Coordinates of all heavy atoms in Angstrom, one line a residue:
L1 N -82.4 -48.0 8.1 CA -83.2 -49.1 8.4 C -84.1 -48.8 9.6 O -85.1 -49.5 9.8 CB -82.4 -50.3 8.7 CG -83.0 -51.7 8.6 CD1 -83.5 -52.0 7.1 CD2 -82.1 -52.8 9.1
G2 N -83.8 -47.8 10.3 CA -84.6 -47.5 11.5 C -86.1 -47.1 11.3 O -87.0 -47.6 11.9
D3 N -86.3 -46.3 10.3 CA -87.7 -46.0 9.9 C -88.4 -47.1 9.3 O -89.6 -46.9 9.1 CB -87.8 -44.7 9.1 CG -87.0 -44.8 7.9 OD1 -86.1 -45.6 7.7 OD2 -87.2 -43.9 6.9
V4 N -87.8 -48.1 8.8 CA -88.5 -49.3 8.2 C -89.4 -49.9 9.2 O -90.4 -50.4 8.9 CB -87.5 -50.3 7.6 CG1 -88.2 -51.5 7.1 CG2 -86.8 -49.6 6.5
Y5 N -88.9 -49.9 10.5 CA -89.7 -50.6 11.6 C -90.9 -49.9 11.8 O -91.9 -50.5 12.3 CB -88.9 -50.6 12.8 CG -87.6 -51.5 12.7 CD1 -86.3 -50.9 12.9 CD2 -87.7 -52.8 12.3 CE1 -85.2 -51.6 12.6 CE2 -86.5 -53.5 12.2 CZ -85.4 -52.9 12.3 OH -84.1 -53.6 12.2
K6 N -91.1 -48.6 11.5 CA -92.3 -47.8 11.8 C -93.3 -48.0 10.7 O -94.5 -47.7 11.0 CB -91.9 -46.3 11.9 CG -91.0 -46.1 13.1 CD -90.5 -44.6 13.1 CE -89.4 -44.5 14.2 NZ -88.8 -43.1 14.0
R7 N -93.0 -48.4 9.6 CA -93.9 -48.6 8.5 C -94.8 -49.8 8.7 O -94.4 -50.7 9.3 CB -93.2 -48.6 7.1 CG -92.5 -47.3 6.9 CD -91.8 -47.3 5.5 NE -92.2 -48.4 4.5 CZ -91.4 -48.8 3.6 NH1 -90.3 -48.2 3.4 NH2 -91.8 -49.8 2.8
Q8 N -96.0 -49.7 8.2 CA -97.0 -50.9 8.4 C -97.4 -51.4 7.1 O -98.4 -52.1 7.0 CB -98.2 -50.3 9.2 CG -97.9 -49.9 10.6 CD -97.2 -50.9 11.5 OE1 -97.7 -52.2 11.4 NE2 -96.3 -50.6 12.2
D9 N -96.6 -51.3 6.0 CA -97.0 -51.7 4.8 C -96.1 -53.0 4.3 O -95.4 -53.5 5.2 CB -96.9 -50.7 3.6 CG -95.5 -50.1 3.6 OD1 -94.6 -50.5 4.3 OD2 -95.4 -49.2 2.7
M10 N -96.1 -53.4 3.1 CA -95.3 -54.5 2.7 C -93.8 -54.2 2.5 O -93.0 -55.0 2.0 CB -95.8 -55.0 1.3 CG -97.1 -55.6 1.5 SD -97.1 -57.2 2.5 CE -96.2 -58.3 1.4
G11 N -93.3 -53.0 3.0 CA -91.8 -52.7 2.9 C -91.0 -53.7 3.6 O -89.8 -53.9 3.2
H12 N -91.5 -54.3 4.7 CA -90.8 -55.2 5.5 C -90.3 -56.4 4.6 O -89.2 -56.9 4.8 CB -91.5 -55.7 6.6 CG -91.8 -54.7 7.7 ND1 -92.7 -53.7 7.5 CD2 -91.2 -54.3 8.8 CE1 -92.8 -52.8 8.5 NE2 -91.8 -53.2 9.4
T13 N -91.3 -56.9 3.7 CA -90.9 -58.0 2.9 C -89.8 -57.7 2.0 O -88.9 -58.5 1.7 CB -92.2 -58.5 2.2 OG1 -93.2 -58.8 3.1 CG2 -91.9 -59.7 1.4
D14 N -89.9 -56.5 1.3 CA -88.9 -56.1 0.4 C -87.5 -56.0 1.0 O -86.5 -56.5 0.5 CB -89.3 -54.8 -0.3 CG -90.6 -54.9 -1.1 OD1 -90.8 -56.0 -1.6 OD2 -91.3 -53.9 -1.3
V15 N -87.5 -55.4 2.2 CA -86.2 -55.2 2.9 C -85.6 -56.6 3.2 O -84.4 -56.8 3.2 CB -86.3 -54.3 4.1 CG1 -85.1 -54.3 5.0 CG2 -86.7 -52.9 3.7
A16 N -86.5 -57.5 3.8 CA -86.0 -58.8 4.2 C -85.5 -59.6 3.0 O -84.5 -60.3 3.1 CB -87.2 -59.6 4.9
D17 N -86.2 -59.4 1.8 CA -85.7 -60.2 0.7 C -84.3 -59.5 0.2 O -83.5 -60.3 -0.2 CB -86.7 -60.0 -0.5 CG -87.8 -60.9 -0.3 OD1 -87.8 -61.9 0.4 OD2 -89.0 -60.7 -1.0
Q18 N -84.2 -58.2 0.3 CA -82.8 -57.7 -0.1 C -81.8 -58.1 0.8 O -80.7 -58.4 0.4 CB -83.0 -56.1 0.0 CG -83.8 -55.5 -1.2 CD -84.0 -54.0 -1.0 OE1 -83.6 -53.5 0.1 NE2 -84.3 -53.3 -2.1
L19 N -82.1 -58.2 2.1 CA -81.0 -58.6 3.1 C -80.7 -60.1 2.9 O -79.5 -60.5 2.9 CB -81.6 -58.4 4.6 CG -81.5 -56.9 5.0 CD1 -82.2 -56.9 6.3 CD2 -80.2 -56.3 5.0
R20 N -81.7 -60.9 2.6 CA -81.4 -62.3 2.4 C -80.6 -62.6 1.1 O -79.7 -63.4 1.1 CB -82.7 -63.1 2.3 CG -82.6 -64.6 2.5 CD -83.9 -65.3 2.5 NE -84.8 -65.2 1.3 CZ -84.6 -65.9 0.2 NH1 -83.6 -66.7 0.1 NH2 -85.4 -65.6 -0.8
N21 N -80.9 -61.8 0.1 CA -80.2 -62.1 -1.2 C -78.7 -61.4 -1.2 O -78.1 -61.7 -2.1 CB -81.0 -61.5 -2.3 CG -82.3 -62.2 -2.6 OD1 -82.2 -63.5 -2.5 ND2 -83.3 -61.6 -3.1
S22 N -78.5 -60.6 -0.2 CA -77.1 -60.0 -0.1 C -76.1 -61.1 0.0 O -75.0 -61.0 -0.6 CB -77.1 -59.0 1.0 OG -77.9 -57.9 0.8
Y23 N -76.3 -62.0 0.9 CA -75.4 -63.1 1.2 C -76.1 -64.4 1.0 O -76.2 -65.3 2.0 CB -74.9 -62.9 2.6 CG -74.1 -61.6 2.8 CD1 -74.7 -60.6 3.5 CD2 -72.9 -61.6 2.3 CE1 -74.0 -59.4 3.7 CE2 -72.1 -60.4 2.4 CZ -72.8 -59.3 3.1 OH -72.1 -58.1 3.3
K24 N -76.6 -64.7 -0.1 CA -77.3 -65.9 -0.4 C -76.3 -67.1 -0.6 O -75.3 -67.0 -1.3 CB -78.1 -65.7 -1.7 CG -79.2 -66.7 -1.9 CD -80.0 -66.2 -3.1 CE -81.0 -67.2 -3.5 NZ -81.9 -66.8 -4.5
F25 N -76.5 -68.1 0.1 CA -75.6 -69.2 0.1 C -76.2 -70.5 -0.4 O -75.7 -71.6 -0.4 CB -74.9 -69.5 1.3 CG -75.8 -69.7 2.5 CD1 -76.5 -70.9 2.8 CD2 -76.3 -68.6 3.4 CE1 -77.4 -71.1 3.8 CE2 -77.1 -68.8 4.4 CZ -77.7 -70.1 4.6
D26 N -77.4 -70.5 -1.0 CA -78.2 -71.6 -1.5 C -78.2 -71.7 -3.0 O -78.9 -72.6 -3.5 CB -79.6 -71.8 -1.0 CG -80.4 -70.6 -1.3 OD1 -79.9 -69.6 -1.8 OD2 -81.7 -70.7 -1.0
H27 N -77.5 -70.8 -3.7 CA -77.6 -70.9 -5.2 C -77.1 -72.1 -5.9 O -77.4 -72.5 -6.9 CB -77.1 -69.5 -5.8 CG -75.5 -69.4 -5.5 ND1 -75.2 -68.8 -4.3 CD2 -74.5 -69.7 -6.2 CE1 -73.8 -68.8 -4.4 NE2 -73.4 -69.4 -5.5
W28 N -76.1 -72.7 -5.2 CA -75.3 -73.9 -5.8 C -76.0 -75.1 -5.4 O -75.5 -76.2 -5.6 CB -74.0 -73.8 -5.6 CG -73.5 -73.7 -4.1 CD1 -73.4 -72.6 -3.4 CD2 -73.2 -74.7 -3.3 NE1 -73.0 -72.8 -2.1 CE2 -72.8 -74.2 -2.0 CE3 -73.1 -76.1 -3.4 CZ2 -72.4 -74.9 -0.9 CZ3 -72.7 -76.9 -2.3 CH2 -72.4 -76.3 -1.1
F29 N -77.0 -75.2 -4.6 CA -77.8 -76.3 -4.1 C -78.8 -76.7 -5.0 O -79.5 -77.7 -4.6 CB -78.3 -76.1 -2.6 CG -77.3 -76.6 -1.6 CD1 -76.4 -75.7 -0.9 CD2 -77.2 -77.9 -1.3 CE1 -75.6 -76.2 0.0 CE2 -76.4 -78.4 -0.3 CZ -75.4 -77.4 0.4
R30 N -79.0 -76.1 -6.0 CA -80.2 -76.4 -6.9 C -80.1 -77.8 -7.5 O -81.1 -78.4 -7.9 CB -80.3 -75.4 -7.9 CG -80.3 -74.0 -7.5 CD -81.4 -73.2 -8.0 NE -81.1 -71.9 -7.5 CZ -82.2 -71.2 -6.9 NH1 -83.4 -71.7 -6.9 NH2 -82.0 -70.0 -6.4
N31 N -78.9 -78.4 -7.6 CA -78.7 -79.7 -8.2 C -78.8 -80.8 -7.2 O -78.7 -82.0 -7.6 CB -77.4 -79.8 -8.9 CG -77.4 -78.9 -10.2 OD1 -78.4 -78.4 -10.8 ND2 -76.2 -78.3 -10.5
F32 N -79.0 -80.5 -5.9 CA -79.1 -81.5 -4.9 C -80.6 -81.8 -4.6 O -81.4 -81.5 -5.4 CB -78.4 -81.0 -3.7 CG -76.9 -81.0 -3.8 CD1 -76.3 -79.8 -4.2 CD2 -76.1 -82.1 -3.5 CE1 -75.0 -79.7 -4.4 CE2 -74.7 -82.0 -3.7 CZ -74.1 -80.9 -4.1
K33 N -80.8 -82.5 -3.6 CA -82.2 -82.9 -3.2 C -83.0 -81.6 -3.0 O -82.5 -80.6 -2.6 CB -82.2 -83.7 -1.8 CG -81.4 -85.0 -1.9 CD -82.2 -86.0 -2.6 CE -81.5 -87.3 -2.6 NZ -82.3 -88.4 -3.3
W34 N -84.3 -81.8 -3.3 CA -85.2 -80.6 -3.3 C -85.3 -80.0 -1.9 O -85.5 -78.8 -1.8 CB -86.6 -81.1 -3.8 CG -87.3 -82.1 -2.9 CD1 -87.1 -83.4 -3.1 CD2 -88.1 -81.9 -1.7 NE1 -87.9 -84.1 -2.2 CE2 -88.5 -83.2 -1.3 CE3 -88.6 -80.8 -1.1 CZ2 -89.3 -83.3 -0.2 CZ3 -89.3 -81.0 0.0 CH2 -89.7 -82.2 0.4
W35 N -85.2 -80.8 -0.9 CA -85.4 -80.3 0.5 C -84.2 -79.4 1.0 O -84.3 -78.6 1.9 CB -85.7 -81.3 1.5 CG -84.8 -82.5 1.4 CD1 -85.0 -83.7 0.8 CD2 -83.6 -82.6 2.2 NE1 -83.9 -84.5 1.0 CE2 -83.0 -83.9 1.9 CE3 -82.9 -81.8 3.0 CZ2 -81.8 -84.3 2.3 CZ3 -81.7 -82.3 3.6 CH2 -81.1 -83.5 3.3
W36 N -83.1 -79.5 0.3 CA -81.9 -78.7 0.7 C -82.2 -77.2 0.4 O -81.9 -76.4 1.2 CB -80.7 -79.1 0.0 CG -79.9 -80.1 0.7 CD1 -79.8 -81.4 0.3 CD2 -79.1 -80.0 1.9 NE1 -79.0 -82.1 1.3 CE2 -78.5 -81.2 2.2 CE3 -78.8 -78.9 2.7 CZ2 -77.8 -81.4 3.3 CZ3 -78.0 -79.1 3.8 CH2 -77.5 -80.3 4.0
S37 N -82.9 -76.9 -0.7 CA -83.3 -75.6 -1.1 C -84.2 -75.0 -0.2 O -84.0 -73.8 0.3 CB -83.8 -75.6 -2.5 OG -82.9 -75.9 -3.5
I38 N -85.2 -75.8 0.3 CA -86.1 -75.2 1.3 C -85.5 -75.1 2.6 O -85.7 -74.1 3.4 CB -87.3 -76.3 1.4 CG1 -88.1 -76.3 0.1 CG2 -88.2 -75.9 2.6 CD1 -89.1 -77.4 0.1
F39 N -84.6 -76.0 3.1 CA -83.9 -75.8 4.3 C -83.0 -74.6 4.5 O -83.0 -73.8 5.3 CB -83.1 -77.1 4.6 CG -82.2 -77.0 5.8 CD1 -82.7 -77.1 7.1 CD2 -80.8 -76.8 5.7 CE1 -82.0 -77.0 8.2 CE2 -80.1 -76.7 6.8 CZ -80.6 -76.8 8.1
L40 N -82.3 -74.4 3.3 CA -81.4 -73.3 3.2 C -82.1 -72.0 3.1 O -81.6 -71.0 3.6 CB -80.3 -73.4 2.2 CG -79.4 -74.6 2.5 CD1 -78.4 -74.8 1.2 CD2 -78.5 -74.3 3.7
W41 N -83.3 -71.9 2.4 CA -84.1 -70.8 2.4 C -84.5 -70.4 3.8 O -84.5 -69.3 4.2 CB -85.3 -71.0 1.4 CG -86.2 -69.9 1.5 CD1 -86.2 -68.7 0.8 CD2 -87.4 -69.8 2.3 NE1 -87.2 -67.8 1.1 CE2 -88.1 -68.5 2.1 CE3 -88.1 -70.6 3.2 CZ2 -89.3 -68.1 2.7 CZ3 -89.2 -70.2 3.9 CH2 -89.7 -69.0 3.5
G42 N -85.0 -71.4 4.5 CA -85.5 -71.1 5.8 C -84.4 -70.7 6.7 O -84.5 -69.7 7.6
L43 N -83.1 -71.2 6.5 CA -82.0 -70.7 7.3 C -81.6 -69.3 7.0 O -81.3 -68.5 7.9 CB -80.8 -71.7 7.1 CG -79.6 -71.4 7.9 CD1 -79.8 -71.6 9.3 CD2 -78.4 -72.3 7.4
G44 N -81.8 -68.9 5.7 CA -81.5 -67.5 5.3 C -82.5 -66.6 6.0 O -82.2 -65.5 6.4
V45 N -83.8 -67.0 6.0 CA -84.8 -66.2 6.6 C -84.6 -66.0 8.1 O -84.8 -65.0 8.6 CB -86.2 -66.7 6.3 CG1 -87.4 -66.1 7.1 CG2 -86.6 -66.7 4.8
L46 N -84.2 -67.1 8.7 CA -83.9 -67.1 10.1 C -82.8 -66.2 10.5 O -82.9 -65.3 11.4 CB -83.5 -68.5 10.6 CG -83.1 -68.6 12.1 CD1 -84.2 -68.8 12.9 CD2 -82.1 -69.6 12.2
L47 N -81.7 -66.1 9.6 CA -80.6 -65.2 9.8 C -80.9 -63.7 9.6 O -80.6 -62.9 10.3 CB -79.4 -65.6 8.8 CG -78.6 -66.8 9.3 CD1 -77.6 -67.2 8.2 CD2 -77.9 -66.6 10.7
V48 N -81.8 -63.5 8.6 CA -82.3 -62.1 8.3 C -83.1 -61.6 9.5 O -82.9 -60.5 10.0 CB -83.0 -62.0 7.0 CG1 -83.8 -60.7 6.8 CG2 -82.1 -62.2 5.9
N49 N -84.0 -62.4 10.0 CA -84.9 -62.1 11.1 C -84.0 -61.9 12.3 O -84.3 -60.9 13.2 CB -85.9 -63.1 11.3 CG -87.0 -63.1 10.3 OD1 -87.2 -62.1 9.6 ND2 -87.7 -64.2 10.2
A50 N -83.0 -62.7 12.6 CA -82.2 -62.6 13.7 C -81.4 -61.2 13.6 O -81.2 -60.4 14.5 CB -81.2 -63.6 13.9
Y51 N -80.9 -60.8 12.4 CA -80.1 -59.6 12.2 C -81.1 -58.4 12.3 O -80.6 -57.3 13.0 CB -79.6 -59.6 10.8 CG -78.8 -58.3 10.4 CD1 -77.6 -58.0 11.1 CD2 -79.2 -57.5 9.5 CE1 -76.9 -56.9 10.8 CE2 -78.5 -56.3 9.1 CZ -77.4 -56.0 9.9 OH -76.7 -54.9 9.5
I52 N -82.2 -58.4 11.9 CA -83.2 -57.3 12.1 C -83.4 -57.1 13.5 O -83.5 -55.9 14.1 CB -84.5 -57.5 11.2 CG1 -84.1 -57.3 9.7 CG2 -85.6 -56.6 11.6 CD1 -85.3 -57.8 8.8
T53 N -83.7 -58.2 14.2 CA -83.9 -58.1 15.6 C -82.7 -57.5 16.4 O -82.9 -56.6 17.3 CB -84.3 -59.5 16.3 OG1 -85.5 -60.0 15.5 CG2 -84.6 -59.4 17.7
Y54 N -81.5 -58.0 16.0 CA -80.3 -57.5 16.6 C -80.2 -55.9 16.4 O -79.9 -55.2 17.4 CB -79.1 -58.2 16.0 CG -77.8 -57.6 16.2 CD1 -77.1 -57.6 17.4 CD2 -77.1 -56.8 15.1 CE1 -75.9 -57.0 17.6 CE2 -76.0 -56.1 15.3 CZ -75.3 -56.3 16.5 OH -74.2 -55.6 16.6
K55 N -80.4 -55.5 15.1 CA -80.4 -54.1 14.9 C -81.4 -53.2 15.7 O -81.0 -52.2 16.2 CB -80.6 -53.8 13.4 CG -79.3 -54.1 12.5 CD -79.4 -53.7 11.2 CE -79.2 -52.2 11.1 NZ -78.5 -51.7 10.1
K56 N -82.6 -53.8 15.8 CA -83.7 -53.1 16.6 C -83.2 -53.0 18.0 O -83.4 -51.9 18.6 CB -84.9 -53.8 16.4 CG -86.1 -53.1 16.9 CD -87.4 -53.9 16.7 CE -88.6 -53.1 17.2 NZ -89.8 -53.8 16.8
V57 N -82.7 -54.0 18.6 CA -82.3 -54.0 20.0 C -81.1 -53.0 20.2 O -81.1 -52.2 21.1 CB -82.0 -55.4 20.5 CG1 -81.2 -55.4 21.8 CG2 -83.2 -56.3 20.5
Q58 N -80.1 -53.0 19.3 CA -79.0 -52.2 19.4 C -79.6 -50.6 19.3 O -78.9 -49.8 19.9 CB -78.0 -52.4 18.2 CG -77.2 -53.7 18.4 CD -76.4 -53.7 19.6 OE1 -76.7 -54.0 20.7 NE2 -75.1 -53.4 19.3
I59 N -80.4 -50.4 18.4 CA -80.9 -49.0 18.2 C -81.7 -48.6 19.5 O -81.5 -47.5 19.9 CB -81.8 -48.9 16.9 CG1 -80.8 -49.0 15.7 CG2 -82.5 -47.6 16.9 CD1 -81.8 -49.2 14.4
E60 N -82.5 -49.4 20.0 CA -83.3 -49.1 21.2 C -82.4 -49.0 22.4 O -82.7 -48.2 23.3 CB -84.4 -50.1 21.4 CG -85.5 -50.1 20.5 CD -86.5 -51.3 20.7 OE1 -86.3 -52.1 21.6 OE2 -87.5 -51.3 19.9
A61 N -81.3 -49.6 22.4 CA -80.3 -49.5 23.6 C -79.3 -48.3 23.3 O -78.6 -48.0 24.3 CB -79.6 -50.7 23.7
G62 N -79.4 -47.7 22.2 CA -78.6 -46.5 22.0 C -77.1 -46.9 21.7 O -76.2 -46.1 21.9
R63 N -76.9 -48.1 21.1 CA -75.5 -48.5 20.8 C -75.4 -48.7 19.3 O -74.8 -49.6 18.8 CB -75.4 -49.9 21.5 CG -75.3 -49.8 23.0 CD -75.1 -51.2 23.6 NE -76.3 -51.9 23.6 CZ -76.5 -53.1 24.1 NH1 -75.5 -53.8 24.5 NH2 -77.8 -53.7 24.1
E64 N -75.9 -47.7 18.5 CA -75.6 -47.7 17.1 C -74.2 -47.8 16.7 O -73.8 -48.2 15.7 CB -76.3 -46.6 16.4 CG -77.9 -46.6 16.5 CD -78.4 -45.8 17.5 OE1 -77.6 -45.0 18.2 OE2 -79.6 -45.7 17.8
R65 N -73.4 -47.1 17.6 CA -71.9 -46.9 17.2 C -71.2 -48.3 17.2 O -70.3 -48.5 16.5 CB -71.3 -46.0 18.3 CG -70.1 -45.3 17.8 CD -69.5 -44.4 18.7 NE -68.8 -45.0 19.7 CZ -68.4 -44.7 20.9 NH1 -68.8 -43.5 21.3 NH2 -67.6 -45.4 21.7
F66 N -71.7 -49.3 18.0 CA -71.0 -50.7 18.0 C -71.8 -51.7 17.2 O -71.4 -52.9 17.4 CB -71.0 -51.0 19.5 CG -70.4 -50.1 20.4 CD1 -71.1 -49.2 21.3 CD2 -68.9 -49.8 20.3 CE1 -70.5 -48.4 22.1 CE2 -68.4 -48.9 21.1 CZ -69.1 -48.1 22.0
M67 N -72.8 -51.3 16.4 CA -73.5 -52.3 15.6 C -72.6 -52.9 14.5 O -71.8 -52.3 13.9 CB -74.7 -51.5 15.0 CG -75.8 -52.4 14.7 SD -77.4 -51.5 14.3 CE -77.2 -49.9 14.4
L68 N -72.8 -54.2 14.4 CA -72.2 -55.0 13.4 C -73.0 -54.9 12.0 O -74.2 -54.6 11.9 CB -72.2 -56.5 13.8 CG -71.5 -56.9 15.0 CD1 -71.8 -58.3 15.3 CD2 -70.0 -56.6 14.9
S69 N -72.2 -55.0 11.0 CA -72.8 -55.0 9.7 C -73.4 -56.4 9.5 O -73.2 -57.3 10.3 CB -71.8 -54.8 8.6 OG -70.8 -55.9 8.5
Q70 N -74.2 -56.6 8.4 CA -74.9 -57.9 8.2 C -73.8 -59.0 8.0 O -73.9 -60.1 8.5 CB -75.7 -57.9 7.0 CG -76.5 -59.2 6.9 CD -77.3 -59.3 5.7 OE1 -77.5 -58.3 4.8 NE2 -78.2 -60.3 5.5
F71 N -72.7 -58.6 7.2 CA -71.6 -59.6 7.0 C -71.0 -60.0 8.4 O -70.7 -61.2 8.7 CB -70.6 -59.1 6.1 CG -69.4 -60.0 6.0 CD1 -69.4 -61.0 5.1 CD2 -68.2 -59.7 6.6 CE1 -68.4 -61.9 4.9 CE2 -67.2 -60.6 6.4 CZ -67.3 -61.6 5.6
E72 N -70.7 -59.0 9.2 CA -70.0 -59.3 10.5 C -71.0 -60.1 11.4 O -70.5 -60.9 12.1 CB -69.7 -58.0 11.2 CG -68.6 -57.2 10.4 CD -68.3 -55.9 11.0 OE1 -69.3 -55.2 11.5 OE2 -67.2 -55.3 10.7
F73 N -72.3 -59.8 11.4 CA -73.2 -60.6 12.2 C -73.2 -62.0 11.7 O -73.2 -62.9 12.5 CB -74.6 -59.9 11.9 CG -75.7 -60.6 12.8 CD1 -75.8 -60.4 14.2 CD2 -76.5 -61.5 12.1 CE1 -76.8 -61.0 14.8 CE2 -77.5 -62.2 12.8 CZ -77.6 -61.9 14.1
R74 N -73.4 -62.2 10.4 CA -73.3 -63.6 9.9 C -72.1 -64.2 10.1 O -72.1 -65.5 10.6 CB -73.7 -63.6 8.4 CG -75.1 -63.3 8.1 CD -75.4 -63.3 6.6 NE -76.7 -63.2 6.2 CZ -77.4 -64.1 5.5 NH1 -76.9 -65.2 5.2 NH2 -78.7 -63.9 5.3
Q75 N -71.0 -63.6 10.2 CA -69.8 -64.2 10.4 C -69.6 -64.6 11.9 O -69.1 -65.7 12.2 CB -68.6 -63.2 10.1 CG -67.2 -63.8 10.3 CD -66.2 -62.7 9.9 OE1 -66.3 -61.6 10.0 NE2 -65.0 -63.3 9.3
S76 N -70.1 -63.7 12.8 CA -70.0 -64.2 14.2 C -71.0 -65.3 14.6 O -70.7 -66.1 15.3 CB -70.4 -62.9 15.1 OG -71.7 -62.6 14.8
V77 N -72.2 -65.4 13.8 CA -73.1 -66.5 14.0 C -72.3 -67.8 13.5 O -72.4 -68.9 14.2 CB -74.4 -66.3 13.3 CG1 -75.1 -67.5 13.2 CG2 -75.1 -65.1 13.9
A78 N -71.7 -67.8 12.4 CA -71.1 -68.9 11.8 C -69.9 -69.4 12.7 O -69.7 -70.5 12.8 CB -70.6 -68.6 10.4
L79 N -69.2 -68.4 13.2 CA -68.0 -68.7 14.0 C -68.4 -69.3 15.4 O -67.7 -70.0 16.1 CB -67.0 -67.6 14.2 CG -66.4 -67.2 12.9 CD1 -65.5 -66.0 13.1 CD2 -65.4 -68.4 12.4
A80 N -69.6 -68.9 15.9 CA -70.1 -69.3 17.2 C -70.6 -70.7 17.1 O -70.5 -71.6 18.0 CB -71.2 -68.4 17.7

C-alpha cells in the first residue's frame, strides 16, 4: 500500500473502495430508512480514510512492525 500514495491517478479510489468493501456493515440496512444507507456509507468512508492516514503515519514514522491490520484498526475504533 506504500507505493499507492505516490501515484497521482484514480488508483486511490479503487483502493479505498476495496478497503471499504472488505468490512462492509451496511448491507443489511437496505430495508430501513433511506438515510441510514447514506449515513453508514459515510461512516465507512470515514473509517477507510482514517485507516489510510494511520498507515501513512506509521510508515513515515518507521513503525511498520507495529502496524495494525484493517480489522484490528476497526476493532480498536469500535472498542474506544
Side-chain angles (χ1 to χ4, degrees):
L1 198 65
D3 56 339
V4 173
Y5 300 115
K6 298 175 187 170
R7 294 181 15 199
Q8 299 297 323
D9 56 4
M10 289 296 290
H12 293 80
T13 303
D14 295 335
V15 172
D17 285 342
Q18 286 177 348
L19 288 171
R20 191 175 64 81
N21 287 329
S22 295
Y23 299 104
K24 195 172 179 179
F25 53 84
D26 61 347
H27 63 276
W28 55 277
F29 264 100
R30 307 225 184 228
N31 296 331
F32 290 92
K33 298 283 186 181
W34 61 270
W35 50 266
W36 272 105
S37 293
I38 295 172
F39 174 75
L40 292 176
W41 173 82
L43 185 62
V45 170
L46 176 90
L47 286 170
V48 166
N49 288 339
Y51 178 67
I52 290 173
T53 304
Y54 162 77
K55 284 190 73 141
K56 188 174 183 179
V57 168
Q58 291 291 87
I59 290 169
E60 289 175 358
R63 292 181 279 182
E64 291 102 1
R65 208 173 83 196
F66 305 108
M67 205 168 356
L68 299 174
S69 68
Q70 184 183 8
F71 175 78
E72 294 167 337
F73 178 80
R74 285 179 175 244
Q75 186 179 33
S76 67
V77 169
L79 293 175

